[in-house]
Every structure is written in C-alpha cells, then in structure tokens.
Amino acid sequence: MITQIRGVLRSVQEETLTLGVEPFELEVMIPEHTRRQIQGKVGETVTLHTTFYIEGQAMGGRLTPRLVGFMSTIDREFFDTFCSVDGVGMKKALRAMVRPVREIARTIQEQDVKTLATFPGIGEATAERIVAKLRRKVGIYALIVNADGTTSAPAPSNGEAAHAQPDVVSDAYAMLLAVGHSEMQARAAIDRVLAGRKKYKSVSDLIEAIYQQEKP
C-alpha cells in the first residue's frame, strides 16, 4: 500500500494531477477541493497522502490500478469513510468532495439532505443513505480545526466528574488532537460536555455531544 508520495507537481487536470517522482511520473486522482488547493503549486515539490484502488470488474473486465491523493491524512480517512456508503464509489466520492471535509461532515452531521444532494453526483436518494450511515461516524471530522488554526471549542468548566468510561474519554481526546485541536482545547471541550449528568458509553456519542455544544 502506498500511503504517501512526494515529488514535483508537473500538471493539474480536472480530476487528476501528474507528479514527478524520479525516474517516474505518476498520475494521481484528486477531489475538486484538493485540485483548488494545489493548482497554484505547479513546479513545486508537494506531498500527497494516498490510498490505492483497483477500478473495474474482476470477472471478465479490465482492472485498472488507481492512486488517489489528498493534502492530509484526515482528508484521506474521510474519503475512505465516504466510500463505505452503498452507491458511493471512489469516483462519486471524489466528485462530491468539492468543499473542505469539515464542511461536508457538518452537512452530514446536521442531516442536511437538501444541501448534500446538491453536491456533484449525489442525488437525494444517495444523500439520504449517506446521512443514515455516516451521521454518527463523521462527528470528529466536523470538529476539524479551521484553516487559520482557530476553533470554537468551549471554555473549561469546573462541573461534575466525568460521566464516561476512561477509554472513551482518552479515545475522544486523541481524536480531537488528530484533527488539529491543541491539548488545552481538547481537554476544555471534553470537560465542558462531561460537566453534565449524561453518561457517554461510546466515543461517537461523546464526539457528537462536543459537536452540538460547539454549534453557533
């Protein structure tokens, strides 16, 4: 599995880019949002976080290897999650990723089927399946820190003791760090949620509660 490549950006097309990794030139498929991020870097050395797919039918069809690239490991992880929905394959997921992962995740988290259905290749029926399957799985992506490094994490609270199992808290803490929160921000977000009386039995429940408190 090729998980990261680094080379000189030779060209950027609508759905792919060409990366020079001597002595090779590699074609890498990219989502629209990544294209917009990288199109001004032709001639520069760039690093892509990649995943590998085999396109085609195993029985009697042509199998074509495809390398798919993203600007961060978080984007790559979200893409893999997105592809897990029935009817959302590699190409459809790439076409649909026209906005930052944080915004797409929030659209799913809010169960905004109407907006999700406007993304390229995603109709209303597919949007409903995405929301049904992923609403409780994308909360951590909705909490990605803004591009400028800011976050809307709430201030620390001196409330009651934590109402969650230690492993749930530690896993949620690690996930918040992974999407760009500082240690202080992650602790503050968790402390605020755990100050109430509700008990959290899973990481997804705790992450969703944090997201709900961060909403404007």
Side-chain angles (χ1 to χ4, degrees):
M1 173 69 73
I2 301 173
T3 59
Q4 182 175 297
I5 55 175
R6 186 170 184 267
V8 177
L9 184 61
R10 302 295 191 195
S11 63
V12 180
Q13 292 79 43
E14 186 174 349
E15 297 180 345
T16 63
L17 60 78
T18 302
L19 199 66
V21 183
E22 297 296 342
F24 306 106
E25 284 198 350
L26 304 176
E27 182 182 79
V28 184
M29 300 187 72
I30 52 173
E32 170 62 18
H33 181 62
T34 298
R35 184 190 68 79
R36 292 199 299 265
Q37 288 179 292
I38 209 169
Q39 63 184 355
K41 298 183 179 182
V42 174
E44 298 180 18
T45 298
V46 299
T47 299
L48 295 175
H49 301 272
T50 57
T51 189
F52 195 72
Y53 277 85
I54 300 295
E55 182 183 19
Q57 299 295 325
M59 298 298 292
R62 179 182 177 183
L63 298 177
T64 304
R66 298 290 190 189
L67 197 60
V68 185
F70 305 90
M71 297 299 290
S72 72
T73 56
I74 294 297
D75 285 5
R76 183 183 64 196
E77 291 169 8
F78 179 83
F79 170 76
D80 287 337
T81 300
F82 207 19
C83 287
S84 70
V85 179
D86 291 340
V88 180
M90 174 192 69
K91 288 188 174 180
K92 184 172 287 189
L94 286 175
R95 287 196 299 268
M97 290 178 67
V98 294
R99 304 294 303 159
V101 163
R102 180 174 183 264
E103 293 183 21
I104 300 173
R106 290 190 170 211
T107 300
I108 297 171
Q109 189 82 357
E110 295 294 328
Q111 304 181 63
D112 188 353
V113 171
K114 183 177 180 180
T115 297
L116 194 59
T118 65
F119 290 7
I122 305 295
E124 186 172 344
T126 302
E128 289 176 350
R129 288 199 301 273
I130 292 171
V131 168
K133 182 164 185 177
L134 300 186
R135 188 182 70 81
R136 295 181 60 79
K137 296 181 180 180
V138 299
I140 189 60
Y141 301 108
L143 292 168
I144 292 173
V145 171
N146 296 326
D148 61 2
T150 62
T151 176
S152 54
S157 171
N158 295 319
E160 300 176 15
H163 291 283
Q165 295 297 321
D167 57 339
V168 170
V169 174
S170 61
D171 287 349
Y173 176 75
M175 292 176 75
L176 289 171
L177 295 183
V179 296
H181 291 257
S182 69
E183 294 181 1
M184 181 182 298
Q185 290 166 345
R187 285 195 297 268
I190 291 173
D191 287 347
R192 178 64 177 271
V193 168
L194 296 182
R197 296 181 177 275
K198 184 175 180 179
K199 295 184 181 296
Y200 299 96
K201 297 181 179 180
S202 70
V203 175
S204 61
D205 287 343
L206 184 53
I207 290 296
E208 182 171 1
I210 292 171
Y211 170 72
Q212 292 299 328
Q213 286 210 353
E214 287 202 1
K215 288 168 56 179

